Amino acid sequence: MVRGRISRLSVRDVRFPTSLGGHGSDAMHTDPDYSAAYVVLETDAEDGLKGYGITFTLGKGTEVVACAVNALAHHVLNKDLGDIVGDFRGFYRQLTSDGQLRWIGPEKGVVHLATAAVLNAVWDLWAKQEGKPLWKLLVDMDPRMLLSCIDFRYITDVLTEEEAYGILQKGQIGKKERERQMLMHGYPAYTTSCAWLGYSDDTLKQLCTEALQDGWTRFKVKVGADLQDDIRRCRLIRNMIGPEKTLMMDANQRWDVPEAIEWMSKLAEFKPLWIEEPTSPDDILGHATISKCHNRVIFKQLLQAKALQFLQIDSCRLGSVNENLSVLLMAKKFEIPVCPHAGGVGLCELVQHLIIFDFISVSASLKNRMCEYVDHLHEHFRYPVTIKKASYMPPKDAGYSTEMKEESVKKHQYPDGEVWKKLLAAQNN
Amino acid sequence: MVRGRISRLSVRDVRFPTSLGGHGSDAMHTDPDYSAAYVVLETDAEDGLKGYGITFTLGKGTEVVACAVNALAHHVLNKDLGDIVGDFRGFYRQLTSDGQLRWIGPEKGVVHLATAAVLNAVWDLWAKQEGKPLWKLLVDMDPRMLLSCIDFRYITDVLTEEEAYGILQKGQIGKKERERQMLMHGYPAYTTSCAWLGYSDDTLKQLCTEALQDGWTRFKVKVGADLQDDIRRCRLIRNMIGPEKTLMMDANQRWDVPEAIEWMSKLAEFKPLWIEEPTSPDDILGHATISKCHNRVIFKQLLQAKALQFLQIDSCRLGSVNENLSVLLMAKKFEIPVCPHAGGVGLCELVQHLIIFDFISVSASLKNRMCEYVDHLHEHFRYPVTIKKASYMPPKDAGYSTEMKEESVKKHQYPDGEVWKKLLAAQNN
């Protein structure tokens, strides 16, 4: 089915001035401009289909990620798409183990974000050529083919390919029924839109009221900058949502380990389900409950060390679908619920595919599971998420939902798009 | 003493075509072109002194690190050097915790390498203004001042500032005597120059013979690509150096954990002192003996988990002198010998300062300690290392030995330097 040779790769630096409204602000990232390095792949096939890939960034530094995408381009250009997906493990390793480039990673930071953007575009293209949304491409894929997309390097002490095959085989049972369930009811979500750190109490109250009216039952609040402030805000939100609904907290890496313990003992009365990123994302031994990580090796150890009770995958920080598959399978082995990280630019659009696949083909459970939702920037995407009754409804369009509206991209390109020209001119006056 | 405002920051992409001779080749990096992002800081002070900083890379991707240096530049430009070193912890945190840029790290990969290059230049400038080699600047510095250079974020569960102060106070005893000892005999080194993976057996034999004649007693061999090959090469080198001399092995992250155990059981007969980087640098729980790490949080856990018996600092992968100081102090607390990583471009020149300081002011011991040495590319530095009787002799020139010869830089700039113009033209023919 797949066809064509990659004839062009372009990357653009797209930034949204979210810092102007305090959207996305937390204890470590006080003024983020939600941004993306946006990759477009073209082929010489006659179908004219393109693959779109993004990785999420916070403004400054997006140009560094774009630079890294260009450094990876020679691995992609002039390759047949069929050869790429036919040995996707080999292709993944080529990108992540380039003998010169891996020094500036490996599999972390800028180069890994760039790898994700490129691979996300490949997956989008593949799914489009197959005429399926990405989740459905994965659900329908032969287990052996699916495993051939995963690089098991560095995780075989915890999960071998044969074990992974066993998990996927087991996942075949009841698959059809679960797919129907998803199409009918969607995947449960929680909202982070109400309680960014930079919002005033009035804004928080208003957004929380609206969210309750919209049927949301699970809420996340950003904490970690000032304890008294956190106590006031957590009390406010707990009082509004009542004792039965779910509240999560996120410190965004703000604390040292002793500080995290002390701080959280003070916030325990508001009954958080979890505390997210209490400390450095590199600190496996110091970790408490939930973590966004940069690669499968870190996730492996968090599982081995029993250092988390929930696991957050990320569609743009990990090495695309390929690496997320390995993490979903490890989480299944350890029976740790996966609750994806989303928000940002397009993270909701992408990660819904992965978690819907996970439910249908791997975890087969919704217990203690939900996917983050943030009500931001969806208007810039051609295939935005559909939320119904606080659930993600499975996308129906072919692809990975990564494509942005060309007009949005043009307007928000940094620094030459219309939006930034105006803002930068205003700053200079 | 410090003076001037940073008036200019420039960064250049300097590459040496080492892959042509197989120098620097190992199981994961088969064709490295040893390279550096090279930063120069200028001030408006009348002394005309400049600060030079490098970070080491392997060729491709150096332009990405240079791009990240430029993204950090606004934190440095127009700052008074006195303000920077007067609150070096604050300055370090500004660079590593920028609310937008930290997303593409944090404190790892490209942005952390860029941070190291910038801060190495600051330290070089500071030492030059004080008219001292960097090691001596550190040795003479008041312990409180020295601690004010360290960011203790994420490590206070293992080392508090007060504990670190206690270690440094204890280190004052016998300091003068140890400084004399260093000036007289230097710091013991081992050589990695003989046994790169890409060398033929004949080359290996010849280099080994020469090294023995030069008085080397400690040797490192690269392993991990092919077991039979490793057995042959290890036997060859062990036979040449005899049973008493020291042999180390380095797999450069090639293996999974079970593979590492199996492979090393086969190489055990050659009595290696250590196996270096058996697996992913992110795999704390899987680690065996020795590791180069990307930040203090990873080192902290390796120490906590008793996952290493030797610790390798790196002058360019960690966040400059500042972060290395925190790791030296943690290693002292756990009484783990530090054996620095060197080689590359300028790593020997830089790290000798740190390990000489460590002996004089922190560890006070040479037991099981030695610093890597590779006989490459020193000719491009203005103040190259001096090796006598297989030991590093303390540098006497002011600064951090980071300055390269302008002619070398010009010739090797990528892609416009004379050397690369010729090579690229030859490739295209």
Side-chain angles (χ1 to χ4, degrees):
Chain A
M1 293 282 283
V2 286
R3 54 202 172 265
R5 195 177 50 84
I6 309 291
S7 54
R8 187 160 182 261
L9 179 155
S10 68
V11 57
R12 285 185 282 177
D13 176 344
V14 185
R15 306 189 188 185
F16 301 94
T18 45
S19 63
L20 299 177
H23 313 307
S25 56
D26 63 49
M28 289 302 268
H29 314 95
T30 49
D31 60 345
D33 287 326
Y34 275 17
S35 306
Y38 183 57
V39 172
V40 184
L41 294 180
E42 295 172 41
T43 77
D44 59 7
E46 287 179 4
D47 57 23
L49 293 173
K50 297 182 187 178
Y52 300 84
I54 62 165
T55 195
F56 170 53
T57 51
L58 293 190
K60 277 186 283 178
T62 311
E63 78 281 15
V64 183
V65 178
C67 182
V69 167
N70 284 321
L72 289 169
H74 67 284
H75 287 297
V76 186
L77 286 169
N78 299 314
K79 293 266 159 67
D80 275 318
L81 185 62
D83 291 341
I84 290 176
V85 306
D87 177 22
F88 216 152
R89 180 185 301 166
F91 184 70
Y92 181 89
R93 193 173 282 191
Q94 207 183 323
L95 261 68
T96 54
S97 293
D98 177 298
Q100 297 193 349
L101 270 176
R102 81 184 291 281
W103 190 265
I104 62 171
E107 298 188 67
K108 60 175 68 72
V110 169
V111 278
H112 213 44
L113 292 167
T115 301
V118 171
L119 291 176
N120 284 338
V122 172
W123 280 98
D124 182 54
L125 182 59
W126 186 8
K128 277 188 176 144
Q129 288 199 358
E130 300 281 359
K132 293 179 181 179
L134 181 101
W135 66 267
K136 182 69 173 153
L137 175 71
L138 294 175
V139 163
D140 292 347
M141 198 179 287
D142 173 75
R144 284 286 172 206
M145 178 76 186
L146 204 140
L147 293 176
S148 79
C149 300
I150 299 176
D151 187 356
F152 284 86
R153 176 174 268 175
Y154 301 144
I155 60 170
T156 58
D157 52 329
V158 153
L159 186 77
T160 63
E161 188 165 348
E162 282 313 298
E163 276 181 288
Y165 182 71
I167 290 172
L168 286 176
Q169 280 297 93
K170 232 174 132 183
Q172 303 291 309
I173 305 160
K175 217 170 80 166
K176 284 278 153 227
E177 180 48 39
R178 289 193 296 276
E179 188 173 332
R180 266 195 299 274
Q181 183 185 339
M182 280 292 106
L183 290 168
M184 185 98 68
H185 303 291
Y187 196 93
Y190 71 87
T191 179
T192 310
S193 287
C194 302
W196 296 106
L197 208 62
Y199 282 178
S200 69
D201 287 4
D202 280 347
T203 304
L204 196 158
K205 267 189 250 178
Q206 189 201 326
L207 291 171
C208 201
T209 306
E210 289 169 16
L212 286 164
Q213 282 165 0
D214 291 345
W216 291 95
T217 59
R218 310 176 194 90
F219 300 81
K220 193 161 82 185
V221 53
K222 297 286 180 177
V223 298
D226 178 277
L227 180 57
Q228 291 314 315
D229 206 46
D230 286 351
I231 291 174
R232 196 191 66 253
R233 297 168 71 254
C234 289
R235 177 166 294 137
L236 197 160
I237 194 164
R238 179 49 92 192
N239 283 343
M240 286 193 71
I241 66 177
E244 299 305 319
K245 296 200 172 61
T246 308
L247 183 65
M248 282 82 73
M249 298 179 185
D250 187 353
N252 290 87
Q253 314 169 11
R254 179 61 184 254
W255 301 316
D256 282 27
V257 173
E259 204 178 4
I261 294 166
E262 200 194 320
W263 203 293
M264 283 312 295
S265 72
K266 301 277 168 48
L267 296 182
E269 67 168 293
F270 307 110
K271 305 246 178 291
L273 176 66
W274 71 51
I275 173 65
E276 187 170 331
E277 294 203 310
T279 187
S280 164
D282 287 330
D283 196 348
I284 287 140
L285 302 176
H287 248 90
T289 43
I290 185 161
S291 179
K292 318 173 185 76
C293 288
H294 62 262
N295 68 30
R296 68 195 176 285
V297 184
I298 300 285
F299 272 123
K300 179 188 78 167
Q301 297 170 84
L302 283 163
L303 291 165
Q304 284 178 298
K306 302 189 197 318
L308 41 70
Q309 282 87 53
F310 299 90
L311 186 155
Q312 288 186 304
I313 58 168
D314 184 301
S315 56
C316 291
R317 192 170 281 284
L318 290 179
S320 188
V321 181
N322 313 67
E323 194 167 29
N324 271 294
L325 290 175
S326 69
V327 175
L328 292 176
L329 288 161
M330 285 193 284
K332 172 65 182 171
K333 178 171 170 178
F334 286 87
E335 290 291 356
I336 294 290
V338 176
C339 298
H341 176 234
V345 178
L347 298 184
C348 301
E349 274 69 21
L350 276 68
V351 89
Q352 60 177 340
H353 289 274
L354 305 180
I355 198 64
I356 288 167
F357 158 75
D358 181 62
F359 172 70
I360 297 174
S361 298
V362 182
S363 78
S365 167
L366 291 179
K367 199 183 160 198
N368 277 326
R369 285 160 170 90
M370 51 192 159
C371 183
E372 185 168 21
Y373 176 70
V374 183
D375 192 13
H376 276 165
L377 306 173
H378 303 291
E379 65 274 22
H380 302 295
F381 283 81
R382 253 191 92 174
Y383 311 104
V385 291
T386 307
I387 298 286
K388 270 192 196 161
K389 294 187 189 160
S391 291
Y392 279 92
M393 300 312 292
K396 291 183 173 159
D397 295 294
Y400 196 7
S401 310
T402 32
E403 186 174 348
M404 295 174 82
K405 293 179 184 159
E406 183 55 29
E407 201 190 305
S408 288
V409 174
K410 268 195 189 141
K411 257 177 143 168
H412 293 92
Q413 261 189 269
Y414 187 89
D416 295 326
E418 188 188 311
V419 167
W420 286 104
K421 266 191 186 160
K422 270 188 207 160
L423 279 170
L424 295 170
Q427 264 177 33
N428 292 334
N429 286 339
Chain B
M1 292 284 282
V2 287
R3 54 201 172 264
R5 197 177 48 86
I6 310 291
S7 55
R8 187 161 182 261
L9 178 155
S10 68
V11 57
R12 285 185 282 177
D13 176 344
V14 185
R15 307 189 189 186
F16 301 95
T18 45
S19 63
L20 299 177
H23 314 307
S25 55
D26 63 51
M28 289 301 269
H29 314 95
T30 49
D31 60 346
D33 287 325
Y34 276 16
S35 306
Y38 183 56
V39 172
V40 184
L41 294 179
E42 296 172 42
T43 77
D44 60 6
E46 287 178 4
D47 57 24
L49 293 174
K50 297 181 187 178
Y52 300 84
I54 62 165
T55 195
F56 171 54
T57 51
L58 293 191
K60 278 185 283 177
T62 312
E63 79 281 15
V64 183
V65 178
C67 183
V69 167
N70 284 321
L72 289 169
H74 67 283
H75 287 297
V76 186
L77 286 169
N78 299 314
K79 292 266 160 67
D80 275 318
L81 184 62
D83 291 341
I84 290 176
V85 306
D87 177 23
F88 216 152
R89 178 184 303 165
F91 183 70
Y92 181 89
R93 192 172 283 192
Q94 208 184 323
L95 260 69
T96 54
S97 293
D98 178 299
Q100 297 193 348
L101 270 176
R102 81 183 292 281
W103 189 264
I104 62 171
E107 299 187 66
K108 61 175 68 70
V110 170
V111 277
H112 213 44
L113 292 168
T115 301
V118 170
L119 290 177
N120 283 339
V122 171
W123 279 99
D124 182 53
L125 182 60
W126 186 8
K128 277 186 176 146
Q129 287 199 358
E130 301 280 358
K132 292 179 182 180
L134 181 101
W135 67 267
K136 181 70 173 153
L137 174 71
L138 294 175
V139 163
D140 293 347
M141 199 180 288
D142 173 75
R144 284 287 172 203
M145 178 77 185
L146 203 140
L147 293 176
S148 79
C149 300
I150 300 175
D151 186 356
F152 283 86
R153 176 174 267 177
Y154 300 144
I155 60 169
T156 57
D157 51 329
V158 153
L159 186 76
T160 63
E161 187 164 349
E162 281 313 299
E163 277 180 289
Y165 183 71
I167 289 172
L168 286 176
Q169 280 296 93
K170 231 172 132 182
Q172 303 292 309
I173 304 160
K175 215 168 80 167
K176 284 277 152 226
E177 180 49 38
R178 289 193 296 277
E179 187 173 331
R180 266 194 300 273
Q181 184 185 337
M182 280 292 107
L183 290 168
M184 185 97 67
H185 302 292
Y187 197 93
Y190 72 87
T191 178
T192 309
S193 287
C194 303
W196 295 106
L197 209 61
Y199 282 178
S200 69
D201 288 3
D202 281 346
T203 304
L204 197 158
K205 268 189 248 178
Q206 189 200 326
L207 291 171
C208 201
T209 306
E210 288 169 16
L212 285 164
Q213 282 165 1
D214 291 344
W216 291 95
T217 59
R218 310 176 193 91
F219 301 81
K220 192 161 80 186
V221 55
K222 298 284 179 178
V223 298
D226 179 276
L227 180 58
Q228 291 314 315
D229 205 49
D230 285 351
I231 291 174
R232 195 189 71 251
R233 298 167 71 256
C234 288
R235 177 166 295 136
L236 197 160
I237 194 165
R238 178 49 93 192
N239 283 344
M240 287 194 69
I241 67 175
E244 299 305 319
K245 295 200 173 60
T246 308
L247 183 65
M248 281 82 72
M249 298 181 185
D250 188 354
N252 290 87
Q253 314 170 13
R254 179 61 184 252
W255 302 317
D256 281 27
V257 173
E259 204 178 4
I261 293 166
E262 200 194 320
W263 203 294
M264 283 311 296
S265 71
K266 302 275 167 47
L267 297 181
E269 65 168 295
F270 307 110
K271 306 244 177 292
L273 176 65
W274 71 53
I275 174 63
E276 187 169 331
E277 295 203 311
T279 188
S280 163
D282 287 330
D283 196 348
I284 289 141
L285 302 176
H287 248 91
T289 42
I290 185 162
S291 178
K292 317 174 187 78
C293 290
H294 61 262
N295 68 30
R296 67 194 176 286
V297 184
I298 299 286
F299 272 123
K300 179 189 78 168
Q301 297 169 84
L302 283 163
L303 291 165
Q304 284 178 298
K306 303 193 198 315
L308 42 69
Q309 282 87 54
F310 299 91
L311 185 155
Q312 288 187 304
I313 57 168
D314 185 301
S315 56
C316 290
R317 194 171 277 284
L318 290 178
S320 187
V321 181
N322 312 67
E323 194 167 29
N324 272 295
L325 290 175
S326 69
V327 175
L328 292 175
L329 287 161
M330 285 193 285
K332 172 65 182 172
K333 178 171 170 178
F334 286 86
E335 289 293 355
I336 295 290
V338 175
C339 297
H341 176 235
V345 178
L347 299 184
C348 301
E349 274 69 20
L350 275 67
V351 89
Q352 61 178 339
H353 290 274
L354 304 180
I355 198 62
I356 289 167
F357 158 74
D358 180 62
F359 172 69
I360 297 173
S361 297
V362 182
S363 78
S365 168
L366 291 179
K367 199 182 160 197
N368 277 326
R369 285 161 169 90
M370 50 192 158
C371 183
E372 185 168 19
Y373 176 70
V374 184
D375 194 13
H376 276 165
L377 307 173
H378 304 291
E379 66 274 22
H380 302 296
F381 283 82
R382 251 191 94 173
Y383 311 104
V385 290
T386 308
I387 298 287
K388 270 192 194 161
K389 295 187 187 160
S391 291
Y392 278 92
M393 301 311 292
K396 291 184 174 159
D397 295 293
Y400 195 8
S401 309
T402 33
E403 187 174 348
M404 295 174 81
K405 292 178 184 161
E406 183 54 28
E407 203 190 304
S408 288
V409 174
K410 269 196 188 139
K411 259 176 142 168
H412 293 90
Q413 261 188 269
Y414 187 89
D416 296 326
E418 188 187 312
V419 168
W420 286 105
K421 267 191 185 160
K422 272 188 207 161
L423 280 169
L424 295 170
Q427 264 178 32
N428 292 336
N429 285 339

